[in-house]
PDB file of all heavy atoms in Angstrom:
ATOM      1  N   VAL A 134     149.606  -0.927 -59.435  1.00  0.00           N
ATOM      2  CA  VAL A 134     150.414  -0.137 -58.493  1.00  0.00           C
ATOM      3  C   VAL A 134     151.663  -0.903 -58.070  1.00  0.00           C
ATOM      4  O   VAL A 134     152.751  -0.326 -57.946  1.00  0.00           O
ATOM      5  CB  VAL A 134     149.557   0.234 -57.252  1.00  0.00           C
ATOM      6  CG1 VAL A 134     150.425   0.791 -56.138  1.00  0.00           C
ATOM      7  CG2 VAL A 134     148.483   1.247 -57.645  1.00  0.00           C
ATOM      8  N   SER A 135     151.532  -2.215 -57.873  1.00  0.00           N
ATOM      9  CA  SER A 135     152.678  -3.008 -57.410  1.00  0.00           C
ATOM     10  C   SER A 135     153.803  -3.083 -58.448  1.00  0.00           C
ATOM     11  O   SER A 135     154.931  -3.445 -58.120  1.00  0.00           O
ATOM     12  CB  SER A 135     152.229  -4.418 -57.032  1.00  0.00           C
ATOM     13  OG  SER A 135     151.664  -5.065 -58.154  1.00  0.00           O
ATOM     14  N   ASP A 136     153.509  -2.724 -59.704  1.00  0.00           N
ATOM     15  CA  ASP A 136     154.545  -2.738 -60.746  1.00  0.00           C
ATOM     16  C   ASP A 136     155.418  -1.486 -60.723  1.00  0.00           C
ATOM     17  O   ASP A 136     156.458  -1.440 -61.386  1.00  0.00           O
ATOM     18  CB  ASP A 136     153.903  -2.857 -62.139  1.00  0.00           C
ATOM     19  CG  ASP A 136     153.201  -4.185 -62.341  1.00  0.00           C
ATOM     20  OD1 ASP A 136     153.785  -5.224 -61.978  1.00  0.00           O
ATOM     21  OD2 ASP A 136     152.054  -4.184 -62.845  1.00  0.00           O
ATOM     22  N   LEU A 137     154.994  -0.477 -59.994  1.00  0.00           N
ATOM     23  CA  LEU A 137     155.729   0.789 -59.990  1.00  0.00           C
ATOM     24  C   LEU A 137     156.981   0.702 -59.132  1.00  0.00           C
ATOM     25  O   LEU A 137     156.980   0.091 -58.062  1.00  0.00           O
ATOM     26  CB  LEU A 137     154.848   1.921 -59.463  1.00  0.00           C
ATOM     27  CG  LEU A 137     153.639   2.309 -60.313  1.00  0.00           C
ATOM     28  CD1 LEU A 137     152.816   3.382 -59.604  1.00  0.00           C
ATOM     29  CD2 LEU A 137     154.080   2.803 -61.684  1.00  0.00           C
ATOM     30  N   ASP A 138     158.051   1.341 -59.610  1.00  0.00           N
ATOM     31  CA  ASP A 138     159.293   1.431 -58.846  1.00  0.00           C
ATOM     32  C   ASP A 138     159.458   2.798 -58.199  1.00  0.00           C
ATOM     33  O   ASP A 138     160.021   2.921 -57.116  1.00  0.00           O
ATOM     34  CB  ASP A 138     160.507   1.171 -59.751  1.00  0.00           C
ATOM     35  CG  ASP A 138     160.498  -0.230 -60.327  1.00  0.00           C
ATOM     36  OD1 ASP A 138     160.253  -1.178 -59.548  1.00  0.00           O
ATOM     37  OD2 ASP A 138     160.705  -0.377 -61.544  1.00  0.00           O
ATOM     38  N   GLU A 139     159.000   3.835 -58.894  1.00  0.00           N
ATOM     39  CA  GLU A 139     159.192   5.200 -58.402  1.00  0.00           C
ATOM     40  C   GLU A 139     158.031   6.077 -58.828  1.00  0.00           C
ATOM     41  O   GLU A 139     157.408   5.838 -59.867  1.00  0.00           O
ATOM     42  CB  GLU A 139     160.479   5.824 -58.979  1.00  0.00           C
ATOM     43  CG  GLU A 139     161.757   5.136 -58.553  1.00  0.00           C
ATOM     44  CD  GLU A 139     162.982   5.756 -59.212  1.00  0.00           C
ATOM     45  OE1 GLU A 139     162.816   6.674 -60.040  1.00  0.00           O
ATOM     46  OE2 GLU A 139     164.093   5.328 -58.896  1.00  0.00           O
ATOM     47  N   VAL A 140     157.779   7.107 -58.031  1.00  0.00           N
ATOM     48  CA  VAL A 140     156.808   8.144 -58.382  1.00  0.00           C
ATOM     49  C   VAL A 140     157.577   9.457 -58.371  1.00  0.00           C
ATOM     50  O   VAL A 140     158.182   9.825 -57.359  1.00  0.00           O
ATOM     51  CB  VAL A 140     155.644   8.199 -57.364  1.00  0.00           C
ATOM     52  CG1 VAL A 140     154.682   9.318 -57.733  1.00  0.00           C
ATOM     53  CG2 VAL A 140     154.928   6.860 -57.309  1.00  0.00           C
ATOM     54  N   LEU A 141     157.574  10.137 -59.505  1.00  0.00           N
ATOM     55  CA  LEU A 141     158.331  11.379 -59.658  1.00  0.00           C
ATOM     56  C   LEU A 141     157.370  12.565 -59.730  1.00  0.00           C
ATOM     57  O   LEU A 141     156.417  12.541 -60.520  1.00  0.00           O
ATOM     58  CB  LEU A 141     159.178  11.316 -60.937  1.00  0.00           C
ATOM     59  CG  LEU A 141     160.064  12.520 -61.244  1.00  0.00           C
ATOM     60  CD1 LEU A 141     161.167  12.642 -60.205  1.00  0.00           C
ATOM     61  CD2 LEU A 141     160.659  12.391 -62.642  1.00  0.00           C
ATOM     62  N   LEU A 142     157.622  13.582 -58.907  1.00  0.00           N
ATOM     63  CA  LEU A 142     156.783  14.782 -58.889  1.00  0.00           C
ATOM     64  C   LEU A 142     157.319  15.819 -59.878  1.00  0.00           C
ATOM     65  O   LEU A 142     158.521  16.045 -59.961  1.00  0.00           O
ATOM     66  CB  LEU A 142     156.765  15.394 -57.492  1.00  0.00           C
ATOM     67  CG  LEU A 142     156.230  14.512 -56.366  1.00  0.00           C
ATOM     68  CD1 LEU A 142     156.319  15.250 -55.036  1.00  0.00           C
ATOM     69  CD2 LEU A 142     154.803  14.078 -56.641  1.00  0.00           C
ATOM     70  N   VAL A 143     156.392  16.450 -60.604  1.00  0.00           N
ATOM     71  CA  VAL A 143     156.744  17.492 -61.568  1.00  0.00           C
ATOM     72  C   VAL A 143     155.766  18.644 -61.387  1.00  0.00           C
ATOM     73  O   VAL A 143     154.565  18.434 -61.194  1.00  0.00           O
ATOM     74  CB  VAL A 143     156.669  16.957 -63.017  1.00  0.00           C
ATOM     75  CG1 VAL A 143     157.008  18.060 -64.021  1.00  0.00           C
ATOM     76  CG2 VAL A 143     157.594  15.759 -63.203  1.00  0.00           C
ATOM     77  N   GLY A 144     156.264  19.880 -61.485  1.00  0.00           N
ATOM     78  CA  GLY A 144     155.409  21.054 -61.377  1.00  0.00           C
ATOM     79  C   GLY A 144     155.407  21.632 -59.974  1.00  0.00           C
ATOM     80  O   GLY A 144     155.911  21.033 -59.028  1.00  0.00           O
TER      81      GLY A 144
END
Side-chain angles (χ1 to χ4, degrees):
V134 168
S135 60
D136 294 315
L137 294 176
D138 297 314
E139 296 177 357
V140 178
L141 181 67
L142 300 178
V143 179

